[in-house]
Amino acid sequence: MISREFRLLLWVLCVHLAGIYLFTKGFLLSRLALPDRGACSSDACASLATHKRAVLLVIDALRFDFIAEHPPEPASPFHHNILTLPREFTAAHPDRSFIFNAYSDPPTTTLQRLKGLTTGSLPTFVDAGENFGGSSIHEDSIIHQLNAAGRKVALAGDDTWLTLFPDAFQPNMTFAFDSFNVEDLHTVDEGVIDNLLPLMRHHQNSWDFAIGHGLGVDHAGHRVGPDHPVLRAKLEQMNNLLRDVVAAMDDDTLLILLGDHGMDRMGNHGGASTLETMSALWIYSKIPLSFPEYTIPEVILPMITFPEATVPHRYVQQIDLVPTISLLLGLPIPFNNLGSVIPELFNRDPDGSSLQKAMELNAAQIRRYLDAYRSSSSGKELDAAWSDFSVAWADINGLDGETRLIALDNFTRLALSACRVLWAQFNVLLMGAGLAVIGLSIVAGWALYSKLREVGDDEWEKWVDDKVLWSFNASAVGLGLGYLTHLMLHEYLDGVAMHQTALFAATLSSSFIVVAVTRPSITLKSIKALPIFLILHTSCFASNSFTVWEDRIVLFFLISSIVPSIITGFTAPTSRLRYRILGFSALFAVCARFMAMSTVCREEQHPYCTVTYYASESSSAPPIIALLLAFPISIAIPRAVRRILKISKSDSALIAGAIFWVLEWVDSAEVLGDMGDVLRMARTVLARTTAAAMLIGGISLWWTSPVCLAISNGQSSQQSSASASQEKTEVTVLGFANAFGSPYLIFWLIFLSIVWLMTQLSGQIVLGVRDVHGLNEAFTSNTPSSALDLATVKRDLCFSEVVPLALLAMHTFYGTGHQSTIPSVQWKSAFILSSTVSFPFSHVSVMTNTLGPFVLIALAAPLLVLWNLPPLPHPKSLGASALRAGIGMSLYFSVLAFGAAVFAAVLRRHLMVWKIFAPRYLFAAFALCAVDVGVLIGVGVGVGRVREEIVRVFRAYLGRNKD
């Protein structure tokens, strides 16, 4: 039977999910893609064509400085001055070889960049999630234009192209390879080499557009970082491939080499940092493309300097490739394109007429797109910028020569910048609905938390049952009201679906009813009890600087949160109690400081932050200290727990987790040479065996025997008043004083073993240190006398005891190598349970790696009331106390999520919304869901099972002795 605590916490989780869903649907909407197709007269397009065929060679994550003639100083021996062919040809043939620093619009994930490279459009922030399961492209693209013109398209490499264009490639010239096996550095690249070169050498008349997409450079960056000999070897291989491609080209073939995005100092990507968005672009032809007779106005040839470089270089938008390639091949520009033609590639006449014609075709295409967009259902979004568009378009007329070129460029760039601002549509109604649901859920949670403290020991079960019944009944009524409301008001609910209206009404009504029937009392004392750290923590999200430095702020709050314990320690009634409280408080502060030594830096934190979680800023390998401490800590934690509980079987699981990541390091560093396949198989078997043993074996064993008690009978002599010796039965109960805390801790250790396995070595060290002062939070209390008095069985939990635990969850999140940014997600963890991306193993392991700290701390919340709690006299309010601890933990993170959502909504037009505020909201939402799940499992399952079994054991024992 499902416990009443489980039902109530499930309701809390559902309300939070509903609020997050509604706000996210309003905040992260997809861009409108128009279905129209680009067109132009055959003469207009054909007159600008220079080549019959083209080879598009994509080297995934090829950053601009990897091919730059003047790389940053000091140059890296591992990725600078290695892929040198582009700069050699550009120096020798400047009229037919061009190198550009190309800006890749974020999110810098492969699937989104391929969309931009083929359609010329802008991605949305929410599209980043599609990188692991994208859908096909239906809007106009250069691939669609090639197919419409009867051109044949060949593919060799990344199979993401098949996801986007499933029917676009010739079946006999399609050689696709799995793109998500990050540990495989060679298969895809060798597939490109083995299939693209024969097509160019022996079947040149069988295709018109050949795509080669290698992944070795990207995978090397993910696995070992850019400063590693492995990356140098991959770049050397790509340089050799380029030489072979150029040798196989004829005069009718155009070569385009590019990186779909760059990579940050760690070798990752996905965000909007400079290193991630600066990608390489090289265009080469065996016939001249640009002539020196006409001088292009410098104002339309922007330059930019790469970070730490000294020489500026030509700068373009990556989507500029779309109109450029289209016209060079004599094709219409895709309808949704916002890119501008690259002027150097159309400078063929003494008077610049070809360049002017290309720019006029480009500007006319963008004007048609803007007109069509304004006529669509989302056209009102352009109202604010439309007058600027009209003025810029009118300025073109009547101008000639250089001024006309400048006016054409101004118009196309204005269109791009305006649409970039509008790339995400906001639905204020849905955002407001989501905020209302989350906000009222906080009030309802606070009402439940406060009232549970006042309900009597014999009444709380019936009280909770009533509130659960009220909440679900109100949800059903609200669902119907929402349906009727949408039928009557749908004309005014622009962009709101019926199910969203019903969901809003259901969750809002249930939360309102819970508040109404609970009727919490608001007093001056309750207002004074508002947690100052929670208020300050939430307020940080109003500032981009405070959000960026949240990891340091959390550390300050965490150590400051033990001040009440220190004050209590100084005023303790006995010296033993005083030393214990002050000692544990000092241990807490020391452990927090040790955890803070493990850092991963956001881009905005440089140069005031140093990466210590990895071996260096440009490596994803663990530091030497992590390799040295991994096994000692894996052994020490279970032994420490065993000393406390005299029982623990988590040794093997923790050691197995450490062995897995040591083997991963051995494989990445090639310590044992070419044994990658053997090591990969060993790691997969080890990981799956460990996970299965703990999830199935560990939980099954704990469920069947969750009690850590040993009851024995003995005889004792007692002298009576008549001097006669009288025998009495003496009952000894080992584990009596901590009957509830000990078995629950074993339950918690099972989940620690799973998170440990999914966490890299440096993170395991942090988890080990965290466990010390995580237990400290359970062992100590602001009311220590009650915690040590076995005659006192009711715990009067204060929210100030929950706050350090919640802050500890945030601190552990940062200490285990995470930040509230997309690039900090440790995608390497997707390959723990399998060698390739596979559902559900990869998804579960990434989520566990990222959100594990929140789940673990939420699971630990009941220990605040369970530790040192004896079973007799029977603690009737145990369930209520554990429920309060769980609701208190959920309250902290629901307030954080609400604050992050509010400030993301208010600052939705802020320059840093997609770089700082939107990611912080998403991580706050994920953290809230993880905490709710942890509390649900801990209180709804773990506490209930321990309580049930202990009651059964003592009843059975007392029944036997009574008989």
Side-chain angles (χ1 to χ4, degrees):
M1 180 179 177
I2 300 176
S3 67
R4 55 183 56 83
E5 298 99 313
F6 188 93
R7 294 196 298 272
L8 183 61
L9 292 171
L10 180 62
W11 171 79
V12 172
L13 172 62
C14 291
V15 172
H16 287 162
L17 287 174
I20 291 169
Y21 165 75
L22 292 172
F23 181 84
T24 304
K25 289 295 290 183
F27 187 66
L28 302 177
L29 288 182
S30 299
R31 169 183 56 84
L32 176 65
L34 301 178
D36 307 62
R37 300 294 189 204
C40 67
S41 65
S42 57
D43 292 340
C45 291
S47 63
L48 292 172
T50 57
H51 295 80
K52 297 178 181 178
R53 289 180 295 276
V55 175
L56 178 63
L57 186 57
V58 182
I59 299 179
D60 213 283
L62 186 67
R63 205 168 64 197
F64 170 71
D65 58 315
F66 292 179
I67 69 169
E69 182 179 1
H70 303 284
E73 297 178 359
S76 168
F78 301 107
H79 55 260
H80 292 146
N81 304 316
I82 299 167
L83 208 166
T84 57
L85 187 72
R87 76 187 196 195
E88 292 171 7
F89 275 62
T90 302
H93 310 288
D95 58 340
R96 47 196 171 101
S97 179
F98 306 88
I99 294 178
F100 302 98
N101 185 340
Y103 177 78
S104 305
D105 284 285
T108 49
T109 51
T110 295
L111 185 140
Q112 283 64 51
R113 293 315 316 136
L114 295 187
K115 283 184 177 181
L117 284 168
T118 53
T119 64
S121 59
L122 299 174
T124 62
F125 182 89
V126 75
D127 283 342
E130 294 184 0
N131 200 53
F132 291 94
S135 56
S136 59
I137 292 177
H138 299 291
E139 63 183 297
D140 197 12
S141 69
I142 193 170
I143 302 298
H144 289 109
Q145 291 292 346
L146 285 165
N147 280 278
R151 311 280 185 97
K152 296 178 180 179
V153 186
L155 169 67
D158 188 346
D159 62 355
T160 304
W161 289 90
L162 289 182
T163 302
L164 298 176
F165 306 101
D167 303 315
F169 305 104
Q170 297 297 307
N172 62 332
M173 292 188 289
T174 301
F175 312 96
F177 301 87
D178 179 24
S179 59
F180 284 118
N181 186 358
V182 174
E183 298 187 349
D184 185 354
L185 307 181
H186 308 296
T187 299
V188 180
D189 288 352
E190 290 171 357
V192 173
I193 295 170
D194 294 342
N195 294 285
L196 179 63
L197 291 176
L199 283 176
M200 295 185 66
R201 290 167 176 165
H202 310 302
H203 306 281
Q204 210 159 54
N205 296 323
S206 301
W207 54 272
D208 301 288
F209 196 83
I211 300 171
H213 190 151
L215 296 171
V217 171
D218 177 69
H219 288 182
H222 283 299
R223 285 209 68 191
V224 296
D227 283 333
H228 196 280
V230 170
L231 185 60
R232 180 183 180 91
K234 294 308 300 181
L235 291 174
E236 289 173 347
Q237 182 187 32
M238 292 298 100
N239 199 50
N240 293 333
L241 171 61
L242 272 182
R243 292 189 186 277
D244 293 338
V245 167
V246 169
M249 287 172 55
D250 61 13
D251 291 350
D252 291 327
T253 304
L254 178 70
L255 173 62
I256 305 103
L257 167 74
L258 61 91
D260 53 343
H261 49 73
M263 64 171 69
D264 63 15
R265 288 181 172 85
M266 299 298 302
N268 298 318
H269 57 87
S273 70
T274 302
L275 297 181
E276 294 169 272
T277 56
M278 284 191 169
S279 60
L281 173 60
W282 178 48
I283 298 177
Y284 175 73
S285 167
K286 289 199 168 181
I287 61 173
L289 289 174
S290 184
F291 297 90
E293 285 82 1
Y294 180 75
T295 303
I296 302 173
E298 289 188 6
V299 69
I300 66 173
L301 303 176
M303 308 284 282
I304 196 170
T305 303
F306 191 87
E308 300 178 9
T310 57
V311 179
H313 210 286
R314 181 74 170 86
Y315 182 65
V316 299
Q317 304 294 313
Q318 196 179 65
I319 59 174
D320 291 349
L321 266 179
V322 175
T324 301
I325 296 176
S326 297
L327 295 180
L328 291 177
L329 296 179
L331 298 170
I333 301 173
F335 188 82
N336 293 293
N337 164 72
L338 288 169
S340 303
V341 293
I342 300 175
E344 292 94 325
L345 305 183
F346 296 91
N347 184 20
R348 310 168 192 160
D349 310 288
D351 57 355
S353 57
S354 293
L355 174 58
Q356 180 174 311
K357 185 176 182 179
M359 295 183 70
E360 287 172 348
L361 287 173
N362 187 193
Q365 168 266 316
I366 292 177
R367 174 71 188 196
R368 287 193 298 272
Y369 168 70
L370 294 176
D371 288 338
Y373 195 97
R374 200 181 188 209
S375 301
S376 70
S377 58
S378 301
K380 60 184 179 181
E381 298 168 11
L382 295 179
D383 288 349
W386 196 255
S387 60
D388 294 333
F389 292 155
S390 300
V391 170
W393 181 256
D395 288 345
I396 298 173
N397 299 323
L399 297 177
D400 264 327
E402 288 189 3
T403 54
R404 184 172 179 83
L405 296 181
I406 295 172
L408 288 165
D409 182 73
N410 285 340
F411 174 76
T412 57
R413 289 312 185 196
L414 174 65
L416 174 62
S417 60
C419 291
R420 195 170 263 151
V421 172
L422 299 169
W423 72 341
Q425 312 165 48
F426 298 106
N427 189 317
V428 179
L429 283 177
L430 283 177
M431 291 166 61
L435 290 175
V437 170
I438 300 174
L440 196 55
S441 75
I442 294 172
V443 178
W446 171 78
L448 292 170
Y449 176 84
S450 302
K451 203 67 177 179
L452 273 170
R453 185 178 186 177
E454 304 171 8
V455 178
D457 292 354
D458 298 323
E459 301 173 1
W460 79 270
E461 293 182 343
K462 182 179 181 302
W463 186 86
V464 170
D465 288 338
D466 290 341
K467 300 306 170 286
V468 170
L469 184 62
W470 273 106
S471 65
F472 283 102
N473 287 342
S475 297
V477 173
L479 201 66
L481 290 176
Y483 175 77
L484 294 175
T485 301
H486 191 87
L487 289 178
M488 294 184 292
L489 302 177
H490 67 275
E491 295 179 359
Y492 306 100
L493 300 175
D494 186 29
V496 180
M498 179 177 290
H499 74 276
Q500 293 166 343
T501 307
L503 184 63
F504 168 72
T507 51
L508 201 70
S509 58
S510 65
S511 296
F512 180 79
I513 287 297
V514 168
V515 174
V517 299
T518 303
R519 295 192 300 274
S521 55
I522 302 177
T523 63
L524 181 61
K525 182 179 179 181
S526 64
I527 295 175
K528 289 181 177 179
L530 289 174
I532 185 64
F533 291 117
L534 177 55
I535 296 171
L536 292 175
H537 194 173
T538 307
S539 302
C540 289
F541 302 144
S543 164
N544 57 342
S545 299
F546 283 135
T547 304
V548 166
W549 290 100
E550 185 184 7
D551 53 348
R552 309 294 174 86
I553 294 172
V554 165
L555 173 62
F556 171 76
F557 287 165
L558 180 61
I559 295 180
S560 301
S561 67
I562 65 173
V563 170
S565 296
I566 296 174
I567 296 174
T568 303
F570 281 118
T571 58
T574 65
S575 59
R576 176 179 176 273
L577 197 56
R578 182 164 56 251
Y579 291 143
R580 180 177 179 181
I581 295 174
L582 294 177
F584 271 121
S585 299
L587 178 62
F588 186 98
V590 170
C591 289
R593 281 292 180 184
F594 271 121
M595 291 173 64
M597 294 172 65
S598 172
T599 57
V600 166
C601 305
R602 297 175 60 120
E603 179 200 10
E604 301 87 351
Q605 292 178 334
H606 290 288
Y608 307 106
C609 177
T610 303
V611 174
T612 58
Y613 185 80
Y614 300 106
S616 69
E617 290 189 354
S618 57
S619 172
S620 60
I624 298 298
I625 188 67
L627 292 167
L628 296 176
L629 292 178
F631 289 112
I633 288 184
S634 301
I635 297 170
I637 291 175
R639 291 184 179 275
V641 174
R642 187 184 292 115
R643 286 196 64 180
I644 300 170
L645 304 183
K646 303 301 182 184
I647 176 173
S648 174
K649 296 298 181 185
S650 58
D651 309 56
S652 56
L654 300 189
I655 293 173
I659 291 174
F660 176 91
W661 288 104
V662 170
L663 289 177
E664 195 279 336
W665 170 78
V666 169
D667 188 7
S668 299
E670 299 182 348
V671 174
L672 300 180
D674 189 15
M675 293 186 62
D677 293 340
V678 175
L679 292 173
R680 175 66 261 184
M681 182 179 296
R683 284 155 50 205
T684 302
V685 171
L686 179 65
R688 291 192 178 187
T689 303
T690 303
M694 297 310 299
L695 284 176
I696 301 174
I699 292 179
S700 299
L701 181 62
W702 179 86
W703 188 267
T704 56
S705 180
V707 178
C708 300
L709 290 174
I711 304 177
S712 60
N713 293 336
Q715 298 296 322
S716 65
S717 313
Q718 186 172 4
Q719 193 73 24
S720 67
S721 58
S723 300
S725 180
Q726 184 178 2
E727 292 288 329
K728 284 195 173 183
T729 301
E730 184 180 81
V731 179
T732 302
V733 183
L734 296 178
F736 179 85
N738 198 19
F740 290 98
S742 299
Y744 188 84
L745 181 59
I746 298 297
F747 177 70
W748 180 83
L749 286 171
I750 296 172
F751 293 91
L752 169 66
S753 301
I754 300 301
V755 176
W756 187 280
L757 173 65
M758 305 298 173
T759 304
Q760 297 187 48
L761 288 177
S762 298
Q764 292 179 358
I765 308 301
V766 171
L767 286 177
V769 176
R770 188 279 312 273
D771 294 336
V772 175
H773 69 96
L775 290 175
N776 168 44
E777 277 301 294
F779 295 161
T780 58
S781 166
N782 286 340
T783 54
S785 57
S786 65
L788 300 177
D789 185 1
L790 299 185
T792 305
V793 296
K794 183 173 181 179
R795 296 296 172 83
D796 190 12
L797 181 72
C798 299
F799 197 80
S800 60
E801 297 176 68
V802 176
V803 169
L805 213 56
L807 289 169
L808 177 60
M810 292 299 309
H811 191 46
T812 308
F813 171 76
Y814 290 119
T816 51
H818 299 97
Q819 287 279 356
S820 297
T821 60
I822 293 176
S824 71
V825 176
Q826 297 172 19
W827 301 113
K828 186 185 291 188
S829 60
F831 307 95
I832 294 175
L833 299 174
S834 62
S835 58
T836 61
V837 172
S838 58
F839 181 83
F841 297 118
S842 299
H843 304 70
V844 170
S845 57
V846 171
M847 287 190 292
T848 304
N849 173 276
T850 306
L851 303 176
F854 300 109
V855 176
L856 278 180
I857 296 298
L859 276 167
L863 285 172
L864 291 172
V865 296
L866 294 181
W867 201 257
N868 281 344
L869 185 66
L872 294 176
H874 177 57
K876 296 180 180 179
S877 63
L878 171 64
S881 299
L883 188 57
R884 286 189 74 232
I887 293 175
M889 182 66 67
S890 179
L891 266 175
Y892 191 99
F893 284 93
S894 60
V895 172
L896 287 187
F898 179 74
V902 166
F903 293 120
V906 171
L907 301 170
R908 63 186 181 274
R909 295 300 180 190
H910 192 281
L911 180 64
M912 291 293 179
V913 63
W914 302 115
K915 193 170 186 179
I916 295 177
F917 298 109
R920 187 61 190 90
Y921 157 70
L922 289 178
F923 277 90
F926 288 138
L928 174 58
C929 295
V931 167
D932 282 348
V933 170
V935 166
L936 187 67
I937 296 172
V939 178
V941 178
V943 174
R945 179 58 181 159
V946 169
R947 183 180 57 179
E948 173 189 336
E949 189 66 13
I950 287 180
V951 170
R952 186 194 65 79
V953 167
F954 276 93
R955 281 179 179 172
Y957 178 79
L958 293 175
R960 278 198 313 271
N961 282 273
K962 185 177 181 180
D963 294 339

